[in-house]
Amino acid sequence: MHLFTEDFLLACFGALKRNKAPGIDAVTAEEYEANLGVNIRGLVQRLVARQYRPQPTRRVYIPKSNGDKRPLGIPAVEDKIVQMACKLILEAVFGVDFLEVSYGFRSGRGAHDALDALDRIVMTRPVNYVVDADIERFFDTVNHEWLMRCLGQRIVDRAFLRLIARFLTAGVVSEGRKSATKEGTPQGSVLSPVLANIYLHSFDVSLTRAGYRLVRFADDWVILCPDQASAEIAYNQATISLAKIHLKINAEKTRILIPTEPLEWLGCVVE
């Protein structure tokens, strides 16, 4: 928590995108910036005094290509600043541990890097079957207790851990009604992507140690296999590994196929 200085939080504010919708307090980034020095100074004082409390996120729904709607959480501007600070700290601590198979929401890596890795494995290894997989409602079902255990493996500052826990349990407001958040992380928030990578790191480790060729982009991933039997075993192993961290495979969106068939995963990554 000693890192949460005025200079650091000013830099975090500068890293935020200005064209985003406001949170439940309806304060825009431009309005917050109009009195930025005073606002940041007060924010630091509340953080130091352990009096800072995140506001509930404002939940909106955006249409998906399949006709469904994706829930997005929109934090208040001040909460975005603190989340950005937490994100940068967590990336510095945990980023050195993440495996090469992880490509989503990491500095210097992106969707095209994941596609290049997939192409490289397909073209240089005996790949005849692919497990094209998706996790069922990942951002809605992240287990808070397990996530805090993952964070506690590298973070010993209890005040910082309490701050993360407060974001997880801040609640959401949808159509004027507030509801508690006992699990999940708001999809669309500044902090959720790095928390997702920390949460799924043990999944990456379990599969790569078992010898599987995995490429993961956030909660979408593929396992590249030499034959159908290996693919079926990999599917079962992935199911078991996810169950250990309180997650499930989305059976409707997970398939075993040959590389010439279109991958649902590719659409997710490019999108």
Short mmCIF file of all heavy atoms in Angstrom, two decimals, residues 86-118:
data_model
loop_
_atom_site.label_atom_id
_atom_site.label_comp_id
_atom_site.label_asym_id
_atom_site.label_seq_id
_atom_site.Cartn_x
_atom_site.Cartn_y
_atom_site.Cartn_z
N CYS A 86 -3.82 -1.07 -8.69
CA CYS A 86 -3.76 -2.48 -8.30
C CYS A 86 -3.31 -3.35 -9.47
O CYS A 86 -2.50 -4.28 -9.30
CB CYS A 86 -5.13 -2.95 -7.81
SG CYS A 86 -5.68 -2.18 -6.27
N LYS A 87 -3.83 -3.06 -10.64
CA LYS A 87 -3.48 -3.82 -11.84
C LYS A 87 -1.97 -3.75 -12.12
O LYS A 87 -1.33 -4.79 -12.36
CB LYS A 87 -4.25 -3.26 -13.04
CG LYS A 87 -3.80 -3.78 -14.40
CD LYS A 87 -4.60 -3.10 -15.51
CE LYS A 87 -4.12 -3.52 -16.89
NZ LYS A 87 -2.79 -2.98 -17.23
N LEU A 88 -1.40 -2.56 -12.07
CA LEU A 88 0.03 -2.41 -12.36
C LEU A 88 0.88 -3.13 -11.32
O LEU A 88 1.91 -3.74 -11.65
CB LEU A 88 0.38 -0.92 -12.41
CG LEU A 88 -0.26 -0.13 -13.55
CD1 LEU A 88 0.05 1.35 -13.43
CD2 LEU A 88 0.19 -0.66 -14.91
N ILE A 89 0.46 -3.07 -10.06
CA ILE A 89 1.21 -3.76 -9.01
C ILE A 89 1.13 -5.27 -9.20
O ILE A 89 2.14 -5.98 -9.12
CB ILE A 89 0.67 -3.35 -7.62
CG1 ILE A 89 0.98 -1.88 -7.35
CG2 ILE A 89 1.27 -4.23 -6.53
CD1 ILE A 89 0.26 -1.31 -6.13
N LEU A 90 -0.07 -5.78 -9.45
CA LEU A 90 -0.25 -7.22 -9.62
C LEU A 90 0.50 -7.74 -10.84
O LEU A 90 1.06 -8.84 -10.82
CB LEU A 90 -1.74 -7.55 -9.73
CG LEU A 90 -2.55 -7.38 -8.44
CD1 LEU A 90 -4.03 -7.57 -8.72
CD2 LEU A 90 -2.08 -8.34 -7.37
N GLU A 91 0.50 -6.96 -11.92
CA GLU A 91 1.23 -7.39 -13.12
C GLU A 91 2.73 -7.46 -12.84
O GLU A 91 3.41 -8.37 -13.34
CB GLU A 91 0.96 -6.43 -14.27
CG GLU A 91 -0.43 -6.59 -14.88
CD GLU A 91 -0.70 -5.59 -15.99
OE1 GLU A 91 0.01 -4.56 -16.07
OE2 GLU A 91 -1.64 -5.83 -16.77
N ALA A 92 3.24 -6.52 -12.05
CA ALA A 92 4.67 -6.53 -11.73
C ALA A 92 5.02 -7.74 -10.85
O ALA A 92 6.10 -8.33 -11.00
CB ALA A 92 5.05 -5.24 -11.02
N VAL A 93 4.12 -8.13 -9.96
CA VAL A 93 4.39 -9.23 -9.04
C VAL A 93 4.19 -10.57 -9.72
O VAL A 93 5.04 -11.47 -9.62
CB VAL A 93 3.49 -9.11 -7.79
CG1 VAL A 93 3.64 -10.35 -6.90
CG2 VAL A 93 3.82 -7.85 -7.00
N PHE A 94 3.05 -10.74 -10.40
CA PHE A 94 2.69 -12.05 -10.94
C PHE A 94 3.12 -12.26 -12.39
O PHE A 94 3.18 -13.40 -12.86
CB PHE A 94 1.17 -12.25 -10.85
CG PHE A 94 0.68 -12.52 -9.45
CD1 PHE A 94 0.28 -11.48 -8.64
CD2 PHE A 94 0.62 -13.81 -8.95
CE1 PHE A 94 -0.18 -11.71 -7.35
CE2 PHE A 94 0.17 -14.06 -7.66
CZ PHE A 94 -0.22 -13.00 -6.86
N GLY A 95 3.39 -11.17 -13.12
CA GLY A 95 3.69 -11.30 -14.54
C GLY A 95 4.89 -12.18 -14.83
O GLY A 95 4.94 -12.86 -15.86
N VAL A 96 5.84 -12.20 -13.92
CA VAL A 96 7.06 -13.02 -14.13
C VAL A 96 6.73 -14.50 -14.01
O VAL A 96 7.51 -15.35 -14.47
CB VAL A 96 8.15 -12.64 -13.12
CG1 VAL A 96 8.65 -11.22 -13.37
CG2 VAL A 96 7.65 -12.79 -11.69
N ASP A 97 5.59 -14.84 -13.40
CA ASP A 97 5.22 -16.25 -13.22
C ASP A 97 4.40 -16.80 -14.38
O ASP A 97 4.38 -18.01 -14.60
CB ASP A 97 4.40 -16.42 -11.93
CG ASP A 97 5.21 -16.13 -10.68
OD1 ASP A 97 6.44 -16.27 -10.74
OD2 ASP A 97 4.61 -15.75 -9.66
N PHE A 98 3.69 -15.93 -15.09
CA PHE A 98 2.79 -16.40 -16.15
C PHE A 98 3.56 -17.15 -17.22
O PHE A 98 4.68 -16.79 -17.58
CB PHE A 98 2.04 -15.23 -16.78
CG PHE A 98 1.09 -14.53 -15.84
CD1 PHE A 98 0.77 -13.20 -16.04
CD2 PHE A 98 0.50 -15.20 -14.79
CE1 PHE A 98 -0.11 -12.56 -15.18
CE2 PHE A 98 -0.38 -14.58 -13.92
CZ PHE A 98 -0.68 -13.24 -14.12
N LEU A 99 2.93 -18.19 -17.75
CA LEU A 99 3.57 -19.04 -18.76
C LEU A 99 3.43 -18.45 -20.15
O LEU A 99 2.58 -17.59 -20.42
CB LEU A 99 2.94 -20.44 -18.71
CG LEU A 99 3.01 -21.19 -17.37
CD1 LEU A 99 2.48 -22.61 -17.55
CD2 LEU A 99 4.43 -21.21 -16.82
N GLU A 100 4.24 -18.96 -21.06
CA GLU A 100 4.21 -18.50 -22.45
C GLU A 100 2.88 -18.81 -23.12
O GLU A 100 2.52 -18.17 -24.11
CB GLU A 100 5.35 -19.17 -23.23
CG GLU A 100 6.73 -18.64 -22.90
CD GLU A 100 6.90 -17.19 -23.33
OE1 GLU A 100 6.52 -16.87 -24.47
OE2 GLU A 100 7.40 -16.39 -22.53
N VAL A 101 2.15 -19.78 -22.62
CA VAL A 101 0.89 -20.19 -23.26
C VAL A 101 -0.21 -19.18 -23.06
O VAL A 101 -1.27 -19.25 -23.70
CB VAL A 101 0.43 -21.56 -22.73
CG1 VAL A 101 1.48 -22.62 -22.98
CG2 VAL A 101 0.09 -21.49 -21.24
N SER A 102 -0.01 -18.19 -22.16
CA SER A 102 -1.04 -17.20 -21.84
C SER A 102 -0.81 -15.93 -22.65
O SER A 102 0.27 -15.33 -22.56
CB SER A 102 -1.01 -16.90 -20.34
OG SER A 102 -1.82 -15.79 -20.03
N TYR A 103 -1.82 -15.50 -23.41
CA TYR A 103 -1.65 -14.36 -24.31
C TYR A 103 -2.62 -13.21 -24.05
O TYR A 103 -2.42 -12.10 -24.53
CB TYR A 103 -1.80 -14.80 -25.78
CG TYR A 103 -0.64 -15.64 -26.25
CD1 TYR A 103 -0.65 -17.03 -26.07
CD2 TYR A 103 0.47 -15.07 -26.84
CE1 TYR A 103 0.41 -17.80 -26.48
CE2 TYR A 103 1.55 -15.84 -27.26
CZ TYR A 103 1.51 -17.21 -27.07
OH TYR A 103 2.58 -17.98 -27.48
N GLY A 104 -3.69 -13.44 -23.30
CA GLY A 104 -4.70 -12.41 -23.14
C GLY A 104 -4.34 -11.38 -22.08
O GLY A 104 -3.92 -11.73 -20.98
N PHE A 105 -4.50 -10.11 -22.42
CA PHE A 105 -4.38 -9.00 -21.46
C PHE A 105 -3.01 -8.98 -20.78
O PHE A 105 -2.91 -8.80 -19.56
CB PHE A 105 -5.49 -9.09 -20.40
CG PHE A 105 -6.86 -9.20 -21.00
CD1 PHE A 105 -7.60 -10.36 -20.83
CD2 PHE A 105 -7.41 -8.17 -21.74
CE1 PHE A 105 -8.87 -10.48 -21.38
CE2 PHE A 105 -8.67 -8.27 -22.28
CZ PHE A 105 -9.40 -9.43 -22.10
N ARG A 106 -1.97 -9.17 -21.57
CA ARG A 106 -0.62 -9.09 -21.06
C ARG A 106 0.18 -8.10 -21.89
O ARG A 106 0.04 -8.05 -23.11
CB ARG A 106 0.06 -10.46 -21.08
CG ARG A 106 -0.57 -11.48 -20.15
CD ARG A 106 0.16 -12.80 -20.20
NE ARG A 106 1.56 -12.67 -19.78
CZ ARG A 106 2.45 -13.65 -19.86
NH1 ARG A 106 2.09 -14.84 -20.35
NH2 ARG A 106 3.69 -13.46 -19.47
N SER A 107 1.02 -7.32 -21.23
CA SER A 107 1.81 -6.31 -21.91
C SER A 107 2.70 -6.95 -22.97
O SER A 107 3.40 -7.94 -22.70
CB SER A 107 2.67 -5.55 -20.89
OG SER A 107 3.47 -4.59 -21.53
N GLY A 108 2.69 -6.40 -24.18
CA GLY A 108 3.51 -6.91 -25.26
C GLY A 108 2.95 -8.14 -25.94
O GLY A 108 3.61 -8.73 -26.80
N ARG A 109 1.74 -8.55 -25.56
CA ARG A 109 1.11 -9.73 -26.16
C ARG A 109 -0.31 -9.38 -26.54
O ARG A 109 -0.95 -8.54 -25.92
CB ARG A 109 1.09 -10.89 -25.16
CG ARG A 109 2.45 -11.48 -24.91
CD ARG A 109 2.41 -12.53 -23.81
NE ARG A 109 3.60 -13.35 -23.90
CZ ARG A 109 3.61 -14.66 -24.09
NH1 ARG A 109 2.49 -15.33 -24.18
NH2 ARG A 109 4.73 -15.32 -24.19
N GLY A 110 -0.80 -10.05 -27.58
CA GLY A 110 -2.15 -9.77 -28.02
C GLY A 110 -2.74 -10.93 -28.80
O GLY A 110 -2.16 -12.03 -28.87
N ALA A 111 -3.88 -10.65 -29.41
CA ALA A 111 -4.61 -11.69 -30.13
C ALA A 111 -3.78 -12.28 -31.27
O ALA A 111 -3.77 -13.50 -31.48
CB ALA A 111 -5.92 -11.13 -30.65
N HIS A 112 -3.10 -11.43 -32.01
CA HIS A 112 -2.33 -11.92 -33.16
C HIS A 112 -1.14 -12.76 -32.72
O HIS A 112 -0.73 -13.69 -33.44
CB HIS A 112 -1.89 -10.76 -34.04
CG HIS A 112 -3.03 -10.10 -34.76
ND1 HIS A 112 -3.67 -10.69 -35.83
CD2 HIS A 112 -3.66 -8.93 -34.54
CE1 HIS A 112 -4.65 -9.90 -36.26
NE2 HIS A 112 -4.66 -8.83 -35.48
N ASP A 113 -0.59 -12.46 -31.56
CA ASP A 113 0.49 -13.30 -31.02
C ASP A 113 -0.04 -14.69 -30.70
O ASP A 113 0.65 -15.70 -30.94
CB ASP A 113 1.08 -12.67 -29.76
CG ASP A 113 1.72 -11.32 -30.04
OD1 ASP A 113 2.60 -11.26 -30.91
OD2 ASP A 113 1.32 -10.34 -29.41
N ALA A 114 -1.26 -14.75 -30.15
CA ALA A 114 -1.86 -16.05 -29.86
C ALA A 114 -2.11 -16.83 -31.14
O ALA A 114 -1.87 -18.04 -31.21
CB ALA A 114 -3.18 -15.85 -29.10
N LEU A 115 -2.58 -16.14 -32.17
CA LEU A 115 -2.82 -16.81 -33.45
C LEU A 115 -1.51 -17.28 -34.09
O LEU A 115 -1.46 -18.36 -34.69
CB LEU A 115 -3.55 -15.85 -34.40
CG LEU A 115 -4.97 -15.47 -33.98
CD1 LEU A 115 -5.53 -14.41 -34.91
CD2 LEU A 115 -5.87 -16.69 -33.96
N ASP A 116 -0.46 -16.48 -33.96
CA ASP A 116 0.85 -16.88 -34.49
C ASP A 116 1.36 -18.13 -33.77
O ASP A 116 1.92 -19.04 -34.40
CB ASP A 116 1.87 -15.74 -34.32
CG ASP A 116 1.61 -14.59 -35.27
OD1 ASP A 116 0.87 -14.79 -36.25
OD2 ASP A 116 2.13 -13.48 -35.03
N ALA A 117 1.17 -18.18 -32.46
CA ALA A 117 1.60 -19.36 -31.69
C ALA A 117 0.82 -20.59 -32.12
O ALA A 117 1.39 -21.68 -32.29
CB ALA A 117 1.41 -19.10 -30.20
N LEU A 118 -0.47 -20.42 -32.32
CA LEU A 118 -1.31 -21.53 -32.78
C LEU A 118 -0.85 -22.02 -34.15
O LEU A 118 -0.69 -23.22 -34.38
CB LEU A 118 -2.77 -21.07 -32.84
CG LEU A 118 -3.80 -22.09 -33.31
CD1 LEU A 118 -3.87 -23.26 -32.35
CD2 LEU A 118 -5.17 -21.42 -33.43
#
